[in-house]
Amino acid sequence: MVKRINVANGALEVAEISLGCMRIADLSPKEAEVHIHSALEVGIDFFDHADIYAGGKAEEVFGNVLAANPGMRDRMMIQAKCGIRNGFFDFSKEHIVTSVENSLKRLQTDYVDVLLLHRPDTLMEPEEVAEAFDDLERRGLVKHFGVSNQNPLQIELLKKNVKQPLLFNQLQLSIMVTGMIDSGFNVNMTNAGSVVHDGGILEYSRLHDMTIQPWSPFQHGFFEGVFLGNERFPKVNEVIDRLAADKGVADTAIAIAWLLRHPARMQPIVGTTNTARLLDIAKASDITLSRQEWYEIYRAAGNVLP
């Protein structure tokens, strides 16, 4: 069973692995039902959505499964995201509130457990976001809040007016995308790895009890493809495959276990629609990589320790 972690010093308890639902609309109604049931059976009860996924159809497919399975909603947590529109970002009060209301209709539920602001909006007015959050919380439509792809100062700007704790930050992180980790190793140096691109978001998150939700944990680059089993990355796959064989799990479990090993207590978002693969991934929760194994994978990915 997938283990659980505490968020914000115990304010909330969640599964340490989340199922991303961006591609769930590709499944038939029966396949989607089986996939969601299978996730719940292994303890993955946190489901990540966004209003833009498949133009809203992902939420519709999920909502139809909920409607067909009375009581299922009570066994899970649903996270929604809003703010990305066609060609621009929109953190206006009107858009945030309308987006949530529309997501609830598609999901066929009365509330979402978590709402994230999906990427930063430089035209954001913190006062407007605060009004939207207050309205959604007051009406019981959203229980908890967070952000996506934001740096420390953007979060602090929001916190100037928003009174609700910001519990999560969704950020790209995988064995092959480690910028937020690299800069921490290369302090007081002038190489490429020393450049802090994100304002020290990893350390900030730990200091402020924000849970990082790594997205695309099997990708290299920005949606450039999966690194597992990819002949372009023989060294890291050799190490991952050896560790997977030693521990009797799939390579996907090792990739997720690598993220879970970090003391930041992250919650990876896995977006597979392959149920067998999801069950393989869930076994990451049973694995604790040693410090030596973690660093071996990091170095095999092409990183050089100073």
Side-chain angles (χ1 to χ4, degrees), residues 11-65:
L12 190 64
E13 186 182 79
V14 301
E16 67 176 357
I17 299 173
S18 170
L19 180 60
C21 298
M22 183 168 69
R23 298 181 180 88
I24 201 168
D26 296 337
L27 301 178
S28 69
K30 184 59 179 178
E31 289 171 335
E33 185 173 21
V34 169
H35 199 55
I36 295 168
H37 270 297
S38 298
L40 290 170
E41 286 173 3
V42 295
I44 299 176
D45 60 0
F46 194 105
F47 298 87
D48 176 66
H49 285 273
D51 55 355
I52 63 167
Y53 290 166
K57 188 177 178 183
E59 291 177 330
E60 289 179 2
V61 169
F62 198 92
N64 289 337
V65 173

Side-chain angles (χ1 to χ4, degrees), residues 71-295:
M72 178 183 276
R73 176 66 180 93
D74 298 332
R75 299 170 55 199
M76 64 172 59
M77 301 186 72
I78 296 176
Q79 176 171 274
K81 298 191 291 294
C82 70
I84 297 179
R85 303 187 70 175
N86 187 19
F88 64 104
F89 302 124
D90 189 351
F91 285 2
S92 66
K93 177 183 178 181
E94 179 184 7
H95 178 68
I96 292 171
V97 172
T98 300
S99 175
V100 170
E101 291 172 343
N102 290 337
S103 287
L104 293 177
K105 291 176 184 177
R106 291 189 292 265
L107 289 164
Q108 301 189 53
T109 185
D110 296 329
Y111 69 95
V112 292
D113 297 274
V114 182
L115 174 69
L116 304 187
L117 296 177
H118 206 175
R119 290 202 173 270
D121 172 17
T122 194
L123 302 183
M124 172 192 75
E125 297 286 356
E127 299 88 348
E128 234 186 312
V129 175
E131 289 178 8
F133 282 11
D134 287 346
D135 178 59
L136 293 169
E137 183 180 54
R138 177 182 54 79
R139 292 195 284 152
L141 304 186
V142 178
K143 291 187 175 183
H144 305 283
F145 298 85
V147 298
S148 169
N149 303 288
Q150 296 202 20
N151 66 35
L153 288 181
Q154 289 168 329
I155 295 167
E156 287 297 312
L157 179 59
L158 265 175
K159 289 165 69 173
K160 178 182 177 183
N161 291 89
V162 171
K163 69 181 182 184
Q164 293 83 3
L166 300 175
L167 303 185
F168 300 93
N169 192 1
Q170 232 176 69
L171 298 160
Q172 186 177 16
L173 180 64
S174 74
I175 289 170
M176 298 301 297
V177 181
T178 55
M180 71 175 74
I181 294 174
D182 301 341
S183 59
F185 286 127
N186 293 279
V187 174
N188 200 36
M189 300 182 71
T190 58
N191 58 349
S194 68
V195 178
V196 180
H197 292 282
D198 49 34
I201 191 62
L202 177 60
E203 292 77 15
Y204 175 90
S205 299
R206 296 181 70 180
L207 282 168
H208 293 270
D209 299 312
M210 289 189 76
T211 295
I212 292 174
Q213 296 178 331
W215 55 267
S216 290
F218 307 121
Q219 292 273 328
H220 66 91
F222 186 72
F223 292 113
E224 294 178 23
V226 175
F227 63 84
L228 294 173
N230 190 327
E231 61 183 13
R232 290 177 55 190
F233 310 105
K235 290 185 179 180
V236 72
N237 277 290
E238 180 183 348
V239 173
I240 290 173
D241 290 346
R242 170 168 49 80
L243 291 173
D246 288 346
K247 300 178 187 300
V249 297
D251 55 357
T252 50
I254 297 297
I256 296 301
W258 187 83
L259 294 169
L260 296 178
R261 174 62 178 82
H262 198 282
R265 298 180 66 79
M266 303 177 190
Q267 184 195 35
I269 308 288
V270 299
T272 183
T273 54
N274 183 310
T275 299
R277 188 172 296 126
L278 179 64
L279 299 183
D280 285 338
I281 291 169
K283 294 177 183 177
S285 199
D286 299 324
I287 300 168
T288 301
L289 295 177
S290 69
R291 187 180 297 264
Q292 182 177 349
E293 290 168 337
W294 190 95
Y295 276 100

